[in-house]
Amino acid sequence: NSLLEGIELAADEINTAGGVDGHRIDLMIRDDTGDPDTALLHFKQMQEEGVPVVIGSFSTDLTLPMARESKTGEMILISPTANGEALYGISPRYYQVYGPCSYVGRSISDWLSYTADRVACIYVDDMYGRSLYTAIQSSLNDSITISGVVPVGVDDSEISGLTKKILDSGPDSIVLIIYDSRLVPIIQSLSDRGFRGKIVLADSSVINTLESEAADTLSKFFIFTIFANSNFVPGIQTERFIADYQKKFGEDPRGTLSGYGYDSLMVLADAIRLGSENGSLSSTSLEKGLQATRYFGVTGPKVFDSHNSVSPALDRWVFRDGRFRQIITSLP
């Protein structure tokens, strides 16, 4: 929902200003219900109806069938947040606004190489989870031992067994590639079993939940840190976005992915300006504009490489004195 709200806010802003080179942005919204087949069905229907660009979807699993389909036809697919390695360079008409997870993986590995001896990992067993674990594993210093690895099924609710298994491997650091509500009981279980080492998260989307439901538990670990794609970079544009979002939706967008929805449509608007030829639009002109854009968004700069992806802005957070504190945002 936050992604959609970011897109809607961008559309309002563009249309209020008169559109892009006279072109109004009209949104056709479809719910993929979290199902890859439904997402692909909507994508094909939009393609048949002559929709020039689709923004979606949320995850790698949902986006991959659409990205494969984009190899045929002329419709452009812009992904706001999906960033599994299987998507990187998959199609000449597929563009990633959220940098590949390999960047986060290397950032985590660099830190672990200086601070850890035995690393264990619990990850969601989907395309994103496997991609990020592989990126961390391949980037670790040869002197670091991977003591244990436990994949968690997408719908698996059993926590106790997997935390016992990971702790039996004797790690001093544990990487959690878990980005849903199961993170809270996993952390609680690790604490209850006496683990007091370093915890590293690979996603910042559950910061608010962790602070409200597990603050006492987090303080028991030696270091509790998060490395993640930046939800917002500092600046006047971001401050204005936050204020406008709060005014329109009555909620604080910080800690959500709304900025990536907003930037996805704003990148497209910039591409329309740059690629438009005598006011006419085509897939060729849009691709030309996307390759030429140097848009600096609320989630960082958007400059597409030869695989139509961006180098991400990365955040580092540490839990201290009862709350998460952002230590640094690194721009590419």
Side-chain angles (χ1 to χ4, degrees):
N1 286 336
S2 65
L3 279 175
L4 175 58
E5 289 169 351
I7 294 169
E8 290 174 332
L9 185 62
D12 288 349
E13 186 176 314
I14 292 167
N15 290 334
T16 298
V20 186
D21 286 348
H23 297 282
R24 176 182 171 82
I25 300 295
D26 290 323
L27 299 180
M28 178 187 292
I29 300 167
R30 296 289 183 270
D31 182 3
D32 59 32
T33 70
D35 176 63
D37 292 335
T38 302
L40 181 59
L41 176 63
H42 289 319
F43 185 83
K44 289 181 176 179
Q45 289 175 341
M46 289 178 171
Q47 196 169 38
E48 292 172 358
E49 294 172 18
V51 174
V53 182
V54 166
I55 298 176
S57 183
F58 170 73
S59 70
T60 299
D61 296 72
L62 292 168
T63 305
L64 190 58
M66 297 189 293
R68 289 175 176 147
E69 182 67 21
S70 72
K71 296 178 184 179
T72 64
E74 297 184 347
M75 189 163 64
I76 290 172
L77 176 62
I78 296 177
S79 174
T81 54
N83 67 340
E85 288 301 304
L87 291 168
Y88 188 60
I90 191 172
S91 166
R93 282 170 290 280
Y94 172 72
Y95 291 81
Q96 285 181 265
V97 173
Y98 200 76
C101 63
S102 56
Y103 286 91
V104 175
R106 287 196 294 269
S107 182
I108 292 173
S109 296
D110 288 346
W111 186 75
L112 289 171
S113 295
Y114 288 104
T115 63
D117 293 313
R118 293 175 59 83
V119 176
C121 182
I122 302 175
Y123 68 89
V124 176
D125 193 13
D126 60 10
M127 290 182 184
Y128 171 74
R130 291 190 295 270
S131 293
L132 187 49
Y133 168 68
T134 299
I136 294 170
Q137 179 191 38
S138 62
S139 302
L140 275 176
N141 189 300
D142 291 339
S143 64
I144 305 299
T145 299
I146 298 180
S147 64
V149 180
V150 176
V152 182
V154 175
D155 299 317
D156 190 358
S157 59
E158 163 53 32
I159 301 302
S160 180
L162 67 89
T163 56
K164 181 181 185 303
K165 182 177 180 180
I166 210 71
L167 291 179
D168 284 347
S169 69
D172 58 42
S173 302
I174 299 176
V175 179
L176 298 178
I177 308 175
I178 308 289
Y179 42 88
D180 55 41
S181 59
R182 291 177 294 179
L183 191 57
V184 173
I186 288 174
I187 290 171
Q188 185 64 57
S189 180
L190 290 172
S191 176
D192 291 345
R193 291 182 181 277
F195 183 71
R196 294 296 182 265
K198 294 181 282 290
I199 296 283
V200 180
L201 296 191
D203 190 282
S204 61
S205 61
V206 291
I207 282 180
N208 294 339
T209 300
L210 289 174
E211 282 188 344
S212 63
E213 298 183 15
D216 290 342
T217 301
L218 304 187
S219 63
K220 296 177 181 178
F221 299 108
F222 173 55
I223 295 177
F224 200 106
T225 187
I226 297 174
F227 296 81
N229 282 281
S230 178
N231 283 350
F232 291 109
V233 299
I236 295 175
Q237 184 179 4
T238 296
E239 293 173 2
R240 179 179 56 78
F241 170 83
I242 291 172
D244 290 346
Y245 188 97
Q246 289 176 318
K247 181 178 179 181
K248 182 174 178 63
F249 299 107
E251 299 175 351
D252 189 336
R254 284 169 289 201
T256 76
L257 296 171
S258 58
Y260 287 99
Y262 179 86
D263 280 350
S264 295
L265 189 53
M266 285 302 191
V267 163
L268 175 61
D270 197 46
I272 293 173
R273 295 186 192 96
L274 294 170
S276 178
E277 299 172 355
N278 300 320
S280 63
L281 292 176
S282 65
S283 59
T284 301
S285 70
L286 289 173
E287 290 182 52
K288 176 184 174 183
L290 286 167
Q291 288 299 329
T293 185
R294 297 294 183 270
Y295 175 74
F296 194 102
V298 298
T299 60
K302 308 301 173 187
V303 179
F304 294 105
D305 63 18
S306 60
H307 289 79
N308 296 347
S309 186
V310 301
S311 299
L314 297 176
D315 284 348
R316 168 84 185 276
W317 300 73
V318 171
F319 189 80
R320 184 180 299 157
D321 300 326
R323 60 184 292 264
F324 281 105
R325 300 176 186 276
Q326 188 171 343
I327 302 301
I328 190 171
T329 297
S330 301
L331 297 179

